[in-house]
């Protein structure tokens, strides 16, 4: 029997305050509990979605090589990114503008086909993806992933987030905005 949901992500860090503030800002969340070694942040009814632990000095992370998803390999094995889904294109773009205006910009924006996504790096260099689903149902998204178009280009097509905001605000239908070019 599968689990019912992904409950939370925990980051080990020596930058507790920076990480807490960054995730609270990016996810529009708030601190539920904090002490010198633990911090729990949520953005919904869950008791926590993101947590941070600092149990002592950590070795610095080796910098990643290449772009968001490759073609150059990263220098270490481990988690690539964590994704958070927004309910609508409007919410994703409003969040993008809110973050952009605070100096937090994505390093990679891509229409994967099943999702329209923006990738960011947190203060420790971890990648997070903020996305919307481009299909009304999971079944439609999965069917698209079995299409020749996805097989030909499984990463997707990059886009300019400011241009996407302009087109959305100009009234271009979301159904047109999510079509992968």
């Amino acid at each position: 029997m599968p689990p019912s949901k992904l409950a939370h992500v925990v980051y080990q860090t020596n930058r507790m305050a920076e990480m807490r503030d960054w995730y609270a800002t990016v996810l529009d969340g708030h601190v539920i509990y904090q002490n010198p070694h633990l911090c729990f942040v949520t953005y919904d009814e869950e008791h926590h979605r993101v947590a941070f632990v600092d149990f002592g000095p950590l070795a610095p992370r080796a910098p990643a090589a290449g772009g968001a998803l490759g073609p150059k390999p990263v220098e270490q094995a481990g988690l690539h990114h964590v994704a958070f889904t927004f309910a609508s294109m409007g919410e994703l773009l409003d969040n993008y503008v809110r973050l952009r205006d605070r100096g937090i910009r994505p390093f990679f924006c891509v229409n994967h086909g099943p999702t329209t996504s923006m990738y960011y790096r947190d203060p420790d260099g971890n990648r997070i993806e903020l996305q919307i689903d481009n299909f009304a149902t999971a079944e439609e998204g999965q069917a698209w992933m079995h299409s020749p178009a996805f097989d030909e280009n499984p990463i997707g097509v990059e886009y300019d987030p400011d241009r996407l905001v302009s087109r959305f605000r100009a009234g271009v239908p979301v159904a047109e905005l999510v079509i992968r070019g």
Side-chain angles (χ1 to χ4, degrees), residues 2-11 43-50 79 81-85:
S4 61
K5 65 181 174 181
L6 176 64
H8 59 264
V9 177
V10 179
Y11 293 103
Y43 52 82
D44 62 8
E45 71 287 342
E46 188 71 20
H47 47 79
H48 71 286
R49 291 295 185 180
V50 182
L79 181 69
H81 70 273
V82 176
F84 298 89
T85 301

Side-chain angles (χ1 to χ4, degrees), residues 5 19 55 63 88 96 98 100 105 114 141-142 149 166 171-172 181:
K5 65 181 174 181
M19 294 286 281
F55 294 125
S88 70
Y96 161 75
R98 182 179 67 83
R100 179 198 66 197
R105 297 196 57 103
Q142 290 172 10
S166 296
V172 175

Side-chain angles (χ1 to χ4, degrees), residues 140-153:
E140 289 175 278
Q142 290 172 10
W144 198 88
M145 291 179 77
H146 291 285
S147 73
F150 188 77
D151 192 43
E152 185 177 306
N153 180 359

Side-chain angles (χ1 to χ4, degrees), residues 9-10 20 34 38 44 49 55 61 67 75-76 83 90 93 95 111 117 119-120 141 147-148 166 170 172 181:
V9 177
V10 179
R20 174 202 64 217
Q34 182 172 347
L38 301 167
D44 62 8
R49 291 295 185 180
F55 294 125
R61 172 183 290 215
E75 296 174 358
Q76 63 192 46
L93 296 179
N95 192 63
N111 182 327
S117 304
Y119 289 82
Y120 294 81
S147 73
S166 296
V172 175

Side-chain angles (χ1 to χ4, degrees), residues 8-180:
H8 59 264
V9 177
V10 179
Y11 293 103
Q12 184 168 261
T13 184
N14 290 141
R15 297 183 183 137
M16 180 84 72
E18 287 176 77
M19 294 286 281
R20 174 202 64 217
D21 294 349
W22 193 87
Y23 278 89
T25 297
V26 168
L27 300 176
D28 201 18
H30 60 279
V31 174
I32 293 293
Y33 173 83
Q34 182 172 347
N35 71 28
H37 303 288
L38 301 167
C39 180
F40 299 96
V41 172
T42 193
Y43 52 82
D44 62 8
E45 71 287 342
E46 188 71 20
H47 47 79
H48 71 286
R49 291 295 185 180
V50 182
F52 311 98
V53 297
D54 184 347
F55 294 125
L58 299 169
R61 172 183 290 215
L69 298 174
K72 296 180 184 173
V74 294
E75 296 174 358
Q76 63 192 46
L79 181 69
H80 187 274
H81 70 273
V82 176
F84 298 89
T85 301
F86 284 78
S88 70
M89 177 69 79
E91 289 180 15
L92 177 69
L93 296 179
D94 286 348
N95 192 63
Y96 161 75
V97 169
R98 182 179 67 83
L99 296 176
R100 179 198 66 197
D101 292 350
R102 292 181 177 174
I104 300 171
R105 297 196 57 103
F107 67 88
F108 185 58
C109 295
V110 61
N111 182 327
H112 288 299
T115 65
T116 297
S117 304
M118 298 181 186
Y119 289 82
Y120 294 81
R121 279 194 172 82
D122 73 17
D124 274 351
N126 301 299
R127 297 176 198 93
I128 71 160
E129 176 184 6
L130 304 181
Q131 67 174 31
I132 61 162
D133 289 318
N134 289 342
F135 294 97
T137 68
E139 292 78 18
E140 289 175 278
Q142 290 172 10
W144 198 88
M145 291 179 77
H146 291 285
S147 73
F150 188 77
D151 192 43
E152 185 177 306
N153 180 359
I155 300 302
V157 178
E158 287 188 62
Y159 68 88
D160 178 328
D162 291 310
R163 185 168 185 272
L164 185 59
V165 168
S166 296
R167 293 179 68 212
F168 178 78
R169 289 183 175 168
V172 175
V174 171
E176 184 178 327
L177 295 174
V178 300
I179 295 172
R180 193 168 101 169

